[in-house]
């Protein structure tokens, strides 16, 4: 009996495409620009930007979500003499930007301004949520399908001018610690995380912001945003907008020489305000939905606490105010339940009642 000869063949394995991109770094007139290298659009970019003992700024490739490491002009790192601003524009992809070194102040870059944009370009005809979303507008808004989950981490930078961070669509996270921004009453911090369930954490106890602080978290009704500001002191106003969705906001040890304004939009929101000072006004507007607000040690000339429509709960510590002079005003609006009181009793909205 003849046996048929069977030939063995090996199937080639699919190549695993690593997502880490190559970053292009260019120094122009003392300012450093980091972008996606040619042919790398949409790749995952991850870099650490820190200052060396010799004063040079090092841009080093960092690990991405899949474990691969980004390159900088094809190398592991590049060093630059930066006398101007730092500008990052990475576009689509799951990007990460780290400025400075954790717990190492000497590694914190000193620049004239910081502009970080890691947002994906908006798809054609995609509807985008407004700056402050409402229940009526949310019904017509759809979330574009884009892979764009970004992280921005800032450790103790010194910025002579302003800092702006834009993460765009996706579930993004922004962390800032001990940053000194601006000089002589100017220099703003602006954060915009766009649509998605985002997190913003500013722990700035050893830093100071000379201008205003704006945190804009555009939200759909399905988004769950979280914002924590701890130890934020600044000359200008502080404004936090989370948009629609079931959001949480925590402000602790806040000092503003202007206003503190908080708006959480539609949704079932949870807010705590502890030891918050504003020279002119503290305003918390929680929008439609079943919301809860806990306040302790608020100090300002004018305080407006608005729960909006829904079954809302306001818990007031006996330590609510540290004000005096008989010219300050408290307004409580839209609360189904108000728990806790401070002494002496006062008439809601009346001047000089506390």
């Amino acid at each position: 009996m003849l046996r048929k000869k069977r030939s063995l063949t090996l199937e080639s394995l699919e190549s695993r495409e690593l997502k880490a991109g190559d970053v292009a770094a260019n120094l122009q007139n003392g300012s450093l620009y980091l972008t996606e290298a040619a042919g790398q659009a949409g790749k995952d970019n991850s870099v650490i930007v820190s200052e060396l003992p010799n004063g040079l700024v090092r841009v080093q490739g960092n690990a991405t979500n899949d474990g691969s490491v980004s390159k900088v002009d094809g190398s592991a790192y590049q060093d630059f003499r930066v006398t101007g601003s730092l500008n990052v524009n990475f576009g689509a992809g799951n990007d990460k930007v780290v400025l400075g070194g954790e717990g190492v102040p000497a590694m914190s870059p000193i620049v004239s301004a910081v502009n970080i944009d890691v947002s994906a370009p908006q798809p054609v005809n995609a509807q985008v949520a407004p700056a402050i979303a409402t229940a009526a507008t949310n019904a017509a808004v759809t979330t574009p399908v884009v892979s764009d989950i970004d992280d921005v981490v800032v450790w103790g930078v010194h910025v002579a001018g302003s800092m702006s961070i834009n993460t765009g669509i996706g579930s993004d996270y922004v962390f800032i610690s001990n940053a000194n921004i601006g000089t002589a009453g100017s220099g703003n911090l602006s954060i915009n995380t766009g649509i998605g369930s985002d997190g913003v954490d500013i722990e700035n106890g050893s830093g100071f912001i000379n201008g205003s602080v704006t945190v804009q978290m555009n939200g759909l009704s399905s988004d769950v945003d979280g914002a924590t500001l701890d130890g934020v002191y600044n000359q200008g106003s502080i404004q936090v907008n989370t948009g629609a969705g079931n959001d949480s906001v925590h402000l602790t040890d806040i000092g503003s020489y202007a206003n503190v304004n908080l708006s959480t939009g539609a949704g079932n929101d949870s807010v705590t305000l502890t030891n918050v000072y504003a020279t002119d006004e503290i305003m918390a507007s929680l929008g439609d939905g079943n919301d809860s607000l806990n306040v302790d040690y608020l100090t300002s000339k004018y305080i407006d606490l608005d729960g909006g429509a829904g079954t809302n709960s306001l818990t007031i510590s006996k330590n609510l105010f540290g004000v005096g002079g008989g010219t300050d005003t408290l307004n409580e609006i839209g609360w189904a339940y108000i728990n806790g009181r401070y002494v002496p009793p006062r008439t809601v909205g009346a001047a000089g009642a506390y």
Side-chain angles (χ1 to χ4, degrees):
M1 178 183 295
L2 296 176
R3 297 192 178 200
K4 293 183 179 180
K5 185 177 181 180
R6 186 175 61 181
S7 61
L8 299 178
T9 60
L10 296 176
E11 294 184 5
S12 61
L13 297 176
E14 294 183 5
S15 62
R16 179 170 176 258
E17 181 183 1
L18 299 179
K19 295 183 178 181
D22 193 356
V23 174
N26 295 288
L27 191 66
Q28 300 179 15
N29 298 321
S31 293
L32 182 60
Y33 296 83
L34 305 180
T35 60
E36 295 175 313
Q40 300 291 298
K43 292 276 191 176
D44 295 351
N45 298 296
S46 181
V47 294
I48 300 174
V49 182
S50 60
E51 185 162 307
L52 302 175
N54 60 7
L56 295 179
V57 171
R58 172 163 292 181
V59 182
Q60 180 174 340
N62 192 27
T64 62
N65 290 339
D66 68 353
S68 55
V69 178
S70 292
K71 299 290 187 181
V72 181
D73 289 334
S75 300
Y77 63 86
Q78 297 286 347
D79 297 338
F80 303 89
R81 178 73 63 183
V82 180
T83 58
S85 61
L86 171 65
N87 306 275
V88 181
N89 192 333
F90 284 160
N94 302 325
D95 304 314
K96 183 173 184 178
V97 179
V98 179
L99 303 187
E102 179 179 0
V104 185
M107 294 179 64
S108 300
I110 301 174
V111 293
S112 64
V114 173
N115 302 292
I116 299 174
D117 191 337
V118 289
S119 64
Q122 292 287 350
V124 177
N125 297 327
Q127 293 175 294
V128 181
I132 301 178
T134 64
T137 59
N138 284 333
V141 178
T142 57
T143 305
V145 180
V146 177
S147 178
D148 190 49
I149 301 174
D150 305 311
D151 293 324
V152 177
V153 178
V154 178
W155 298 101
V157 298
H158 292 256
V159 183
S162 295
M163 174 186 291
S164 67
I165 299 172
N166 181 23
T167 62
I169 298 169
S171 297
D172 308 315
Y173 178 65
V174 177
F175 174 85
I176 296 176
S177 175
N178 300 327
N180 288 283
I181 299 174
T183 53
S186 64
N188 303 323
L189 172 61
S190 175
I191 300 172
N192 191 330
T193 62
I195 297 173
S197 296
D198 304 312
V200 172
D201 187 359
I202 306 176
E203 300 178 9
N204 218 46
S206 297
F208 189 80
I209 301 167
N210 282 274
S212 63
V213 176
T214 303
V215 177
Q216 182 68 57
M217 309 172 76
N218 297 344
L220 305 180
S221 58
S222 59
D223 291 344
V224 179
D225 295 320
T228 298
L229 277 65
D230 189 346
V232 177
Y233 303 96
N234 69 313
Q235 290 281 359
S237 62
I238 296 175
Q239 182 169 325
V240 180
N241 298 323
T242 62
N246 301 332
D247 306 318
S248 62
V249 179
H250 305 282
L251 273 60
T252 304
D253 294 335
I254 303 298
S256 167
Y257 287 92
N259 307 310
V260 174
N261 296 324
L262 167 65
S263 176
T264 59
N268 302 328
D269 305 312
S270 175
V271 178
T272 60
L273 305 177
T274 303
N275 195 21
V276 177
Y277 168 86
T279 300
D280 298 323
E281 176 186 27
I282 297 173
M283 183 184 73
S285 177
L286 275 59
D288 296 346
N290 302 327
D291 308 311
S292 66
L293 172 62
N294 289 269
V295 297
D296 189 8
Y297 281 112
L298 303 188
T299 304
S300 187
K301 293 179 181 178
Y302 184 89
I303 297 177
D304 193 333
L305 308 177
D306 187 349
T311 305
N312 307 306
S313 175
L314 170 63
T315 300
I316 300 177
S317 169
K318 293 182 179 180
N319 302 316
L320 179 57
F321 296 105
V323 297
T327 60
D328 307 298
T329 302
L330 168 67
N331 288 328
E332 298 167 335
I333 306 170
W335 302 102
Y337 306 99
I338 300 180
N339 308 309
R341 286 296 181 198
Y342 60 90
V343 180
R346 71 335 179 211
T347 303
V348 174
Y354 45 84

